Amino acid sequence: MKDARILLTHGSGGESTRDLIRQLFLPGYGNSQLNLLTDGAVLTNVTAQQVFTSDSYVVNPPFFPGGDIGALAVIGTCNDLAVMGAVPRWLSLSFILEESLPIERLEKIVQSIQRTAAEAGITIVTGDTKVVERGKADRLFINTAGIGELHIPQALTPARIQAGDAILVSNDIGRHGIAVLASREGINLEVDLLSDMALLHPLIQALLNQGIDLHCARDLTRGGLGGALLELADQCGQDFRLQETRVPVSETVQAACELLGFDPLFIANEGCCALFLPEAQVADALAILREFSAGRWSAQIGTVLGNGTVKSAAVKNGGVFLENAYGVERLLAWHTVDQLPRIC
Amino acid sequence: MQINEPCQNERQHKDSEQSEPQKSDNMMPTDISGVASVAQHLILRGEVQGIGLRPRVKRWADELGLRGWICNQGDQVALQVAGPAPAVQQLQDQLRALACAVDIIELDHDLAPGALSAQSGFAILPGEPLHVDRLYQVPADRGICETCLLEFHDPADRRYHYPFISCNDCGPRFSILTALPFARANTAYARLPPCRKCQEDFADPANRRFHSELISCEVCGPRLSGVGLADIGVSADATPDDLIRRALACLNGGGIVGLKSLSGMQLLARADNESAVRRLRERKQRPCKPLALLVPSLAWAQRLAQVSEAAAQWLTSPQRPIVLLPKTKAADTQLAPSVAPDVPDLGLMLPVTALQSWLVESVDAPLVCTSANVSDEPILFANADLETAVGTLCDFALLHDLEIEFPQDDSVLMENQGRTTLLRRARGFCHTAFPVPPGETTLAVGGDLKNTFALARGGVAVLGPHLGDLESVKTLQRRDWLLDQFSALQDFTPRRICVDAHPGYISRQQAQRLSQQTEPLGLQVVQHHRAHLLANHVACPLPSRYLALMWDGNGYGDDCTLWGSEAFLVDAGKITRVAALAPFPLPGGVQALLQPWRLALSLSFAAGISRADVLQRLVSNTVTESQLAAVWQLLEKNLNCPISCAMGRLFDAMSYLLLGTERNEYEGHAPVQLQYCAQRGLEDSTALQRDGQGGHAAPFAIQLRTEGDLLVGDWQPAWRDFFYGASFSVSAQNAPASVKQQALAFHRGVADWALALAHRFNVDHLSLSGGCFQNRLLQSLLLERAEPMAVHLMWPATVPLNDGGLALGQVAFPDPA
């Protein structure tokens, strides 16, 4: 490439932009659709009900232990679709690049996107490129949209959560947020931690295909497990009870959280989801999940109690109760102060 | 005591013969003897019910030959009395002499001279409800009196060994109340009608239980029952003697007995049995916070602690609180080490009920006495819960069938040179009403720690009992339920709700949700330390201009940092923040509150001490160099290091620096250790001086510097001095002399700073609040310094200085409308 760094002209829509696309993006993750470079992508072979999502990625630093912003963009978007019960198929991927970003770095990200897209079985069919002045974007931001196909009669939604459902988590929590933070701040951890970035649709589809009556799934990104459950309890109006000792947390994450003063329950994950399914199917579900490396530490962490089981004005529309090792129940509450900025 | 203008309250005229106030003909009628006759209608307000006031007034009236009647109305006592003017005056004088109870005697109106002429004698009439536009004063529970105890122990008495003995002067009141006014039918005794003999006693003016609402005996009173583990057979018709024998066997065997006491269930164990105490701590999940002791007598109390006269009065008072007193040397030999490890004070309590007295006197030794609950959960009180507690919390439970309507913990207070500091406001105290500026009917939700709520209506505020920390779901549920109970009793529907400013407080979040759902319910946010200030303003007599020092562990400040060393100048109602300590970071946020070593690290960092020096000096048996280095990183990168200036944190840091206190096992744990050490230092310093060893440590001098509008307390030079000059100790009790002297010097330095501020702002009154001032040594040092400066130190005796008092300040926050 002529220019070693991104310049404002790369975003102007003229020759520089076309050069960038042809020389960097298309060789990276091009395909028959994207290569057409039309303003929009025509989707053919649409066989089922569709699920549509959108996401943006501003993670700092863009390269972190276990991944980078490109892979994250693909995985994150696919996971949003996966937890609806859909199979991801098409993505749009748009860049906002900071002027003077080294193109070599962009190349690495493009390669990463390509690898992840292939693994996910999705095609990136459209995109956009903008460049902003130095200082207006921290190296690069990525925005995505994704379409997936639903092969089950009903999407997985909070409304389907029932009293008596088991609450499972697909893997140990806290790795992504801590890994990114440690890398960004240069914190020395005893054991090097990697982000838990992983595609979730293989696990969820495996569950669905093998007869598990999954009611709801939620990925545990910003706000972590705690945030997701608080939101879900509020949305479905049911109370959840979690057993603290059953939530899988690695020793490294635990130690880092103790050092930093964070609660692992509210740390972001990028390869982990909460699952709601009938109690009777827990053993089967865990067996299926544990066949995947991204489900290695899957566990049941609690149950759905039902509607208004805890009579208290503090819990109007569904609360989450955390039971400790001694059986004492605490009310899980929102942490109003953002624990970690810019981790996804 | 005042005679006021006729009140505006609704009232119901009792006397059917009484006609409207007559147009006066200016001629006082005379009776047969020719002395002028008067008739009056009086309203008595204050703690006027449940203390035997009506029978007492009847006796006086009979003795003075007066006609009329008396009855309870709502939370007041109304009486009409007629007779010779001097006799009527005498009665009023006698009423006024009851200074402890009656706050207000209102001469409601003069009656027509001929009124009550048809009344023969003086009658006690049935009580009736009263609806007024203010909150009601509720009768307090009263600990068993001397006379009842004597009767209880007297084999010749009808109520010998009757566990529920009470009289006009003592017994449950608020805890069993279902409605006002206080009357048997409005308590849990409603379903226990008195037997014939008790009815006779009730009606007999010569009997000491004349008109005692809760009169009962073993025939008609509540039934005692026992629940034990399966292997102990307790028959359904076991007598009280059998049950007590069983309970004693349990206690003497090292077991834990659950006792349904006056306002809730308690757990008891022998205080000299280390394994019993350890077991109790394990069951309660309370690793080291001190446990209170129930002692059989004042003599026993004096064996274990230094009991001043004021303390003795509190111990025997009707409120019957737990009183914190300095341990004697003998105490450590009498008590198991796990009772109150590493603290200078013991919490002692005398029996509140005959049942407690029976147990503890039979054992003739102190019993550990703590509320039956898992730590941080509310006190158990319903029989069903108590039965399930057998096996989990206790081995044997003594229960009864009297319902507890308003469960409360025992209150805890500290007595220090005649000054009382209330640490926990509960049984015996939580009925007291406070005057507040009139405004909207307001509910205040308090804070998240040591939560209480407060209600205000019509210029009267009431502060509810201690509930606990709001993280626990059970505490939240108890709080909701108790608030409903209070609201029903008090005819209370709030139109305004006051909350703390902390956005993360559950109490605030809940209130916000409520105010959005309920119309019309205005939300008022009150900054934490201003709420403490206002609580003092309500509960203490303060002049128009004074300085308020609000020192605690943390409270959300206006600038979104955590305040806690605030000085506010109050001048004719205007409150201005004028001073605070220089702020410092809390590395790891909440972890810094749990781990005092982080504070030591943080203060050193902020004071510019080198990393190398810090790592070398602060390492200890429990804190490694790598831990210190890791947290140092957080400080350097400013990662999760919220800013604070709380005085409590300064104490934490010093506690680690001198004693290596690595963890705050409970709120205030580290500062208490430091206080203990410093107190030992005070005891030693006379001996040291006598031996010519000098031993005075360098002073801890907090300097003052101006930063904009604020006077900042610069602790950094003093910290550096202590950092380099101090040596470690691992035990508060057995610290080397130098460490004790430094702990003392630190306390002195802090006290000096307080008085320096008073001097700087030229005030003669200091209002003190916040948990830091619960420190006995600090109080003494402040009093010592304040006296020669003619500065008055003010703090309330009936409102906690910790967050338990927050709600009272919140509810008193001026209504902008």
Side-chain angles (χ1 to χ4, degrees):
Chain A
M1 288 220 55
K2 270 197 298 205
D3 311 294
R5 291 183 174 268
I6 294 291
L7 306 168
L8 282 172
T9 54
H10 283 123
S12 65
E15 210 175 303
S16 287
T17 313
R18 280 219 307 285
D19 283 345
L20 187 68
I21 295 171
R22 288 216 163 88
Q23 289 163 25
L24 191 66
F25 297 138
L26 295 188
Y29 48 80
N31 50 72
S32 56
Q33 188 54 274
L34 191 62
N35 293 350
L36 295 175
L37 291 182
T38 45
D39 279 341
V42 179
L43 302 176
T44 54
N45 290 334
V46 177
T47 57
Q49 219 180 9
Q50 315 230 289
V51 180
F52 187 31
T53 190
S54 175
D55 234 329
S56 294
Y57 295 87
V58 298
V59 61
N60 176 27
F63 291 89
F64 48 84
D68 58 59
I69 190 173
L72 188 59
V74 175
I75 287 176
T77 317
C78 288
N79 286 351
D80 275 348
L81 296 169
V83 294
M84 296 295 294
V87 179
R89 287 205 57 194
W90 305 284
L91 250 60
S92 79
L93 201 125
S94 301
F95 288 95
I96 298 174
L97 307 169
E98 190 188 10
E99 182 194 10
S100 94
L101 172 73
I103 292 189
E104 196 187 18
R105 309 214 83 200
L106 189 55
E107 231 165 2
K108 285 206 168 78
I109 286 169
V110 164
Q111 284 158 14
S112 179
I113 291 172
Q114 187 272 322
R115 273 195 305 273
T116 318
E119 195 193 323
I122 57 113
T123 3
I124 298 169
V125 295
T126 188
D128 183 61
T129 312
K130 294 286 186 304
V131 180
V132 294
E133 303 90 286
R134 238 186 172 180
K136 302 290 189 198
D138 192 352
R139 290 162 285 182
L140 78 161
F141 297 152
I142 298 179
N143 168 270
T144 62
I147 299 182
E149 290 185 323
L150 212 55
H151 299 296
I152 47 177
Q154 247 190 310
L156 307 175
T157 59
R160 292 178 58 192
I161 295 176
Q162 291 168 25
D165 274 356
I167 308 175
L168 276 65
V169 72
S170 63
N171 217 352
D172 62 308
I173 60 168
R175 279 190 279 135
H176 177 81
I178 297 295
V180 170
L181 184 72
S183 151
R184 179 161 83 212
E185 303 292 341
I187 307 252
N188 296 324
L189 300 173
E190 298 266 309
V191 174
D192 283 326
L193 210 53
L194 300 178
S195 166
D196 67 337
M197 249 179 27
L199 291 163
L200 291 173
H201 68 273
L203 288 78
I204 295 179
Q205 291 301 310
L207 290 172
L208 292 168
N209 293 336
Q210 291 180 59
I212 301 290
D213 182 20
L214 203 49
H215 294 155
C216 180
R218 175 70 58 104
D219 66 348
L220 309 177
T221 54
R222 272 176 314 171
L225 176 62
L229 291 178
L230 283 171
E231 239 176 54
L232 282 171
D234 187 58
Q235 282 169 343
C236 73
Q238 318 249 18
D239 296 327
F240 301 162
R241 177 185 290 135
L242 289 191
Q243 274 107 25
E244 230 171 28
T245 49
R246 296 167 85 174
V247 177
V249 186
S250 75
E251 271 178 28
T252 315
V253 169
Q254 191 70 53
C257 285
E258 258 174 36
L259 166 65
L260 293 162
F262 294 137
D263 186 347
L265 283 179
F266 290 92
I267 304 282
N269 309 274
E270 290 293 343
C272 203
C273 62
L275 300 158
F276 292 75
L277 49 99
E279 183 75 47
Q281 296 190 303
V282 169
D284 290 339
L286 288 174
I288 296 166
L289 288 167
R290 284 174 189 162
E291 289 178 355
F292 295 87
S293 67
R296 185 162 169 228
W297 298 109
S298 54
Q300 178 177 10
I301 57 172
T303 21
V304 179
L305 298 175
N307 210 305
T309 50
V310 176
K311 304 278 175 273
S312 166
V315 199
K316 265 287 136 79
N317 209 34
V320 182
F321 308 109
L322 208 56
E323 194 184 292
N324 72 7
Y326 302 104
V328 175
E329 269 190 338
R330 240 178 59 218
L331 183 71
L332 193 65
W334 278 109
H335 286 226
T336 47
V337 179
D338 260 327
Q339 285 196 105
L340 291 174
R342 301 270 304 279
I343 33 81
C344 56
Chain B
M1 223 63 65
Q2 317 135 35
I3 306 276
N4 289 351
E5 297 307 297
C7 66
Q8 303 306 311
N9 296 343
E10 292 176 52
R11 52 183 181 264
Q12 290 163 343
H13 294 280
K14 275 307 300 185
D15 193 349
S16 53
E17 287 104 333
Q18 199 244 314
S19 39
E20 271 70 65
Q22 300 302 322
K23 46 189 188 297
S24 135
D25 58 9
N26 281 337
M27 275 293 287
M28 297 283 260
T30 59
D31 63 10
I32 299 162
S33 63
V35 179
S37 186
V38 295
Q40 288 180 337
H41 183 111
L42 299 169
I43 303 280
L44 311 180
R45 284 172 58 187
E47 293 177 34
V48 291
Q49 294 185 12
I51 55 166
L53 185 64
R54 295 167 304 152
R56 194 186 304 220
V57 169
K58 163 138 174 85
R59 282 202 196 98
W60 291 342
D62 286 346
E63 280 161 21
L64 294 165
L66 297 168
R67 299 182 310 277
W69 53 261
I70 187 169
C71 79
N72 287 335
Q73 275 182 352
D75 65 339
Q76 304 174 157
V77 169
L79 72 122
Q80 286 193 355
V81 64
V88 171
Q89 186 57 48
Q90 168 88 353
L91 185 75
Q92 279 202 21
D93 291 341
Q94 279 169 232
L95 278 171
R96 249 171 274 160
L98 277 176
C100 59
V102 184
D103 289 341
I104 299 171
I105 308 176
E106 288 178 14
L107 173 57
D108 194 17
H109 53 280
D110 282 317
L111 299 170
L116 295 175
S117 52
Q119 180 99 8
S120 63
F122 193 89
I124 298 177
L125 298 177
E128 37 182 54
L130 182 73
H131 296 286
V132 286
D133 203 14
R134 59 169 172 78
L135 292 183
Y136 307 122
Q137 177 91 47
V138 171
D141 296 313
R142 301 172 71 84
I144 190 167
C145 69
E146 279 296 313
T147 319
C148 283
L149 268 176
L150 286 169
E151 291 175 359
F152 176 79
H153 285 300
D154 180 3
D157 194 284
R158 184 155 87 78
R159 293 184 179 84
Y160 171 64
H161 278 189
Y162 172 55
F164 304 97
I165 189 172
S166 73
C167 69
N168 276 314
D169 290 328
C170 70
R173 303 283 187 266
F174 177 50
S175 57
I176 57 167
L177 201 68
T178 54
L180 283 168
F182 178 65
R184 194 188 193 92
N186 289 340
T187 67
Y189 272 85
R191 48 166 215 87
L192 294 168
C195 65
R196 190 185 47 82
K197 274 206 172 151
C198 284
Q199 283 177 36
E200 282 168 15
D201 291 345
F202 183 91
D204 176 8
N207 191 295
R208 69 177 287 263
R209 290 192 177 76
F210 174 55
H211 260 276
S212 171
E213 291 290 333
L214 306 183
I215 193 166
S216 63
C217 65
E218 64 176 7
V219 171
C220 58
R223 292 255 158 279
L224 200 63
S225 59
V227 178
L229 292 173
D231 58 327
I232 309 133
V234 177
S235 65
D237 53 357
T239 63
D241 284 88
D242 293 336
L243 293 169
I244 292 290
R245 250 192 305 265
R246 186 69 205 80
L248 287 173
C250 182
L251 285 171
N252 289 328
I256 301 167
V257 167
L259 176 67
K260 185 175 177 183
S261 191
L262 194 145
S263 57
M265 190 187 201
Q266 293 168 326
L267 299 173
L268 305 168
R270 280 194 72 119
D272 55 5
N273 187 325
E274 172 70 6
S275 75
V277 176
R278 285 227 184 132
R279 244 173 104 239
L280 178 56
R281 283 191 175 281
E282 204 185 287
R283 296 260 178 104
K284 219 179 127 100
Q285 290 167 41
R286 178 152 152 174
C288 67
K289 190 169 170 191
L291 292 163
L293 295 171
L294 177 67
V295 289
S297 63
L298 202 53
W300 256 107
Q302 286 159 338
R303 232 179 283 181
L304 299 172
Q306 293 159 26
V307 183
S308 65
E309 203 182 296
Q313 274 177 26
W314 272 121
L315 282 168
T316 53
S317 69
Q319 294 94 330
R320 212 58 55 90
I322 297 168
V323 182
L324 293 188
L325 295 166
K327 271 196 256 204
T328 56
K329 296 270 189 299
D332 287 328
T333 55
Q334 307 262 13
L335 304 172
S338 294
V339 169
D342 272 342
V343 289
D345 288 353
L346 273 182
L348 300 177
M349 181 168 64
L350 287 179
V352 190
T353 60
L355 198 50
Q356 272 189 341
S357 177
W358 199 355
L359 272 175
V360 75
E361 286 188 20
S362 306
V363 171
D364 195 27
L367 293 176
V368 165
C369 179
T370 182
S371 58
N373 52 20
V374 166
S375 227
D376 298 334
E377 291 197 343
I379 188 169
L380 296 179
F381 68 98
N383 278 9
D385 290 328
L386 308 190
E387 280 164 31
T388 49
V390 176
T392 52
L393 288 175
C394 60
D395 303 311
F396 179 76
L398 275 172
L399 311 177
H400 57 75
D401 58 356
L402 190 68
E403 292 291 312
I404 295 176
E405 300 291 332
F406 285 93
Q408 304 144 71
D409 292 89
D410 301 315
S411 295
V412 182
L413 59 82
M414 181 173 80
E415 199 288 308
N416 182 16
Q417 298 171 259
R419 304 288 303 253
T420 303
T421 309
L422 187 64
L423 288 102
R424 173 185 294 173
R425 186 182 153 93
R427 178 180 53 77
F429 289 93
C430 60
H431 60 284
T432 321
F434 295 94
V436 287
E440 287 275 37
T441 303
T442 302
L443 169 68
V445 297
D448 269 18
L449 298 174
K450 297 188 168 65
N451 181 265
T452 58
F453 52 72
L455 286 60
R457 182 161 69 107
V460 177
V462 156
L463 181 62
H466 168 83
L467 285 160
D469 294 347
L470 288 191
E471 254 201 335
S472 149
V473 175
K474 291 212 168 84
T475 306
L476 285 168
Q477 291 176 297
R478 173 66 61 87
R479 183 166 168 267
D480 289 343
W481 174 80
L482 201 64
L483 184 55
D484 283 344
Q485 294 279 90
F486 259 76
S487 302
L489 189 68
Q490 291 279 5
D491 280 338
F492 181 77
T493 309
R495 298 176 73 81
R496 181 174 80 129
I497 189 164
C498 292
V499 302
D500 189 273
H502 198 305
Y505 271 5
I506 293 171
S507 55
R508 176 172 179 172
Q509 289 171 8
Q510 178 187 352
Q512 272 173 295
R513 226 175 296 137
L514 200 62
S515 78
Q516 280 155 17
Q517 291 164 356
T518 318
E519 281 280 306
L521 189 59
L523 188 77
Q524 176 69 55
V525 175
V526 183
Q527 195 274 326
H528 193 94
H529 301 92
R530 288 197 184 82
H532 277 303
L533 187 157
L534 287 171
N536 274 23
H537 201 90
V538 164
C540 299
L542 285 162
S544 162
R545 186 172 183 280
Y546 64 89
L547 195 67
L549 297 184
M550 306 286 114
W551 292 359
D552 62 10
N554 76 79
Y556 199 77
D558 291 344
D559 57 5
C560 305
T561 66
L562 295 168
W563 290 357
S565 59
E566 316 316 297
F568 292 94
L569 185 64
V570 180
D571 196 346
K574 182 153 175 271
I575 302 171
T576 324
R577 182 178 180 237
V578 292
L581 286 176
F584 44 85
L586 298 179
V590 66
Q591 288 288 75
L593 307 186
L594 293 172
Q595 298 174 335
W597 59 269
R598 292 184 182 233
L599 270 315
L601 194 72
S602 163
L603 297 196
S604 307
F605 175 84
I609 297 173
S610 75
R611 180 177 180 278
D613 285 353
V614 166
L615 291 187
Q616 191 204 32
R617 170 70 177 82
L618 294 185
V619 83
S620 74
N621 291 345
T622 43
V623 179
T624 63
E625 199 180 287
S626 68
Q627 276 176 292
L628 292 167
V631 174
W632 186 270
Q633 265 192 89
L634 295 188
L635 290 164
E636 279 182 322
K637 297 169 195 297
N638 193 15
L639 192 55
N640 197 21
C641 294
I643 302 292
S644 173
C645 64
M647 180 60 82
R649 303 278 87 89
L650 199 62
F651 274 77
D652 276 356
M654 190 59 70
S655 187
Y656 183 78
L657 186 70
L658 298 179
L659 299 172
T661 317
E662 169 255 338
R663 198 167 174 86
N664 262 325
E665 297 288 351
Y666 53 87
E667 224 194 323
H669 178 218
V672 166
Q673 302 288 291
L674 191 67
Q675 177 198 333
Y676 196 16
C677 185
Q679 267 171 223
R680 288 275 158 110
L682 190 59
E683 288 159 28
D684 287 353
S685 58
T686 11
L688 283 170
Q689 281 176 339
R690 188 190 59 221
D691 297 348
Q693 279 176 39
H696 268 297
F700 188 86
I702 301 176
Q703 296 163 4
L704 289 172
R705 66 162 196 271
T706 316
E707 257 176 38
D709 297 330
L710 211 59
L711 206 55
V712 169
D714 195 355
W715 44 265
Q716 295 183 9
W719 178 265
R720 274 194 296 269
D721 286 342
F722 269 55
F723 181 91
Y724 288 111
S727 42
F728 246 154
S729 165
V730 289
S731 159
Q733 285 197 57
N734 301 314
S738 58
V739 172
K740 287 190 263 190
Q741 290 307 309
Q742 284 191 291
L744 181 60
F746 171 71
H747 280 76
R748 286 188 168 136
V750 163
D752 285 339
W753 190 55
L755 273 303
L757 287 171
H759 179 76
R760 184 65 169 253
F761 290 96
N762 197 23
V763 292
D764 53 19
H765 281 77
L766 275 179
S767 166
L768 306 179
S769 186
C772 292
F773 289 113
Q774 294 177 165
N775 180 323
R776 182 193 293 280
L777 176 64
L778 184 61
Q779 282 186 1
S780 303
L781 293 171
L782 287 166
L783 288 166
E784 196 181 87
R785 281 153 179 69
E787 213 210 298
M789 286 175 66
V791 170
H792 300 277
L793 299 181
M794 310 293 291
W795 69 84
T798 52
V799 179
L801 303 185
N802 55 52
D803 284 0
L806 212 59
L808 184 64
Q810 289 173 349
V811 94
F813 192 84
D815 193 346

